[in-house]
Amino acid sequence: MPNSRPPTRLREPAAPRLPSRLTRIAVPDQPVGDDQVLLSLELHGGGWAGIQAEDVEVNRCRFTDAQIPGVILPRARLEDVELTRCDLANLQIIDGRMFTTRLANSRLTGLAWIDCSMRDMVFTDCRANLARFRMSALRDVIFRDCDLTEASFQAATLNGVLFENCRLAGTQFSQAKIIDARFKDCDLSGLGGVESLRGATVSSADAQSLVWALASAFGIRIED
């Protein structure tokens, strides 16, 4: 039977704490290598495409109109970071840590954040189709006005996660662990792993787009 417990109120993710003055620098003028620490910078432009560097730390930084696609950053750590109008397509982070970070109006197509810890994050108006968050732990995270078509949250843990006005057509949730996740004004058509959504809260309007996925998961035929 449906879960009759009233939903708890989601906690608003903490905002990044940036200093009032940042050192402005173009991305090409800021080299990145293993164990690099980027602190209190405002970065813009392109120049890191395709680089690989391990154990990079980004702390109290702002990226604006930065073009950094295809970057590979194993075990990267981001804390108190803002990214606006950035291209992060196919950026890969494995076993990373992302805290108090906000991404807005950015391209995240094919982004892969695998086995990462993500807390106090907000994604707003981002194109994140085909993005992968597999095996990651998300706590107090909001996806708002995002295109997550065919993204993957396979085997991810979702605790205090809100999807609001997002496209989730074909998105994969197989083996996900839902502690507290909300779906509001979202397109859930063709969603995969629907049986793993136990514990989620879905608005009545959104539930209609789940009908076909539920029927497929339980072998139910729907006829006119």
Side-chain angles (χ1 to χ4, degrees):
M1 63 182 295
N3 189 347
S4 60
R5 292 180 301 172
T8 57
R9 183 178 179 86
L10 291 179
R11 187 179 74 82
E12 184 68 20
R17 296 163 297 179
L18 299 180
S20 57
R21 298 188 65 178
L22 297 170
T23 300
R24 185 172 173 82
I25 186 171
V27 168
D29 296 331
Q30 175 59 62
V32 175
D34 293 347
D35 302 306
Q36 184 87 32
V37 177
L38 305 180
L39 177 64
S40 301
L41 300 176
E42 181 166 4
L43 297 117
H44 60 94
W48 292 350
I51 70 165
Q52 180 169 348
E54 299 182 0
D55 301 295
V56 173
E57 293 189 21
V58 183
N59 198 330
R60 298 190 176 185
C61 289
R62 176 181 293 125
F63 292 77
T64 305
D65 299 310
Q67 311 297 313
I68 49 177
V71 174
I72 301 175
L73 301 172
R75 298 181 303 280
R77 180 185 176 96
L78 282 67
E79 186 167 2
D80 295 318
V81 176
E82 291 182 355
L83 299 105
T84 304
R85 298 186 304 276
C86 294
D87 184 359
L88 309 181
N90 299 312
L91 183 147
Q92 298 181 38
I93 298 179
I94 299 175
D95 190 24
R97 302 290 181 267
M98 300 85 167
F99 307 132
T100 48
T101 294
R102 301 204 169 189
L103 301 92
N105 307 105
S106 294
R107 179 174 178 246
L108 314 180
T109 299
L111 173 145
W113 287 357
I114 309 298
D115 196 20
C116 292
S117 179
M118 303 165 56
R119 190 179 72 232
D120 288 310
M121 298 189 65
V122 179
F123 297 77
T124 305
D125 199 18
C126 291
R127 182 180 177 185
N129 55 309
L130 302 174
R132 291 166 289 163
F133 301 95
R134 294 188 292 110
M135 298 182 291
S136 292
L138 287 71
R139 184 183 181 95
D140 300 322
V141 175
I142 293 177
F143 293 90
R144 181 174 287 129
D145 302 320
C146 292
D147 181 0
L148 289 157
T149 302
E150 297 186 3
S152 177
F153 293 86
Q154 184 176 3
T157 300
L158 278 62
N159 185 2
V161 178
L162 171 65
F163 298 91
E164 184 176 11
N165 194 32
C166 292
R167 293 185 60 190
L168 290 153
T171 300
Q172 183 60 250
F173 286 90
S174 294
Q175 301 176 339
K177 180 180 179 181
I178 306 294
I179 298 174
D180 186 7
R182 315 288 177 84
F183 298 85
K184 180 181 179 183
D185 301 326
C186 294
D187 176 7
L188 306 178
S189 57
L191 186 144
V194 65
E195 62 273 16
S196 295
L197 292 183
R198 182 184 299 272
T201 300
V202 180
S203 70
S204 57
D206 293 355
Q208 298 178 30
S209 63
L210 275 177
V211 170
W212 293 99
L214 286 166
S216 177
F218 293 101
I220 299 171
R221 293 190 300 274
I222 298 178
E223 298 180 345
D224 293 329

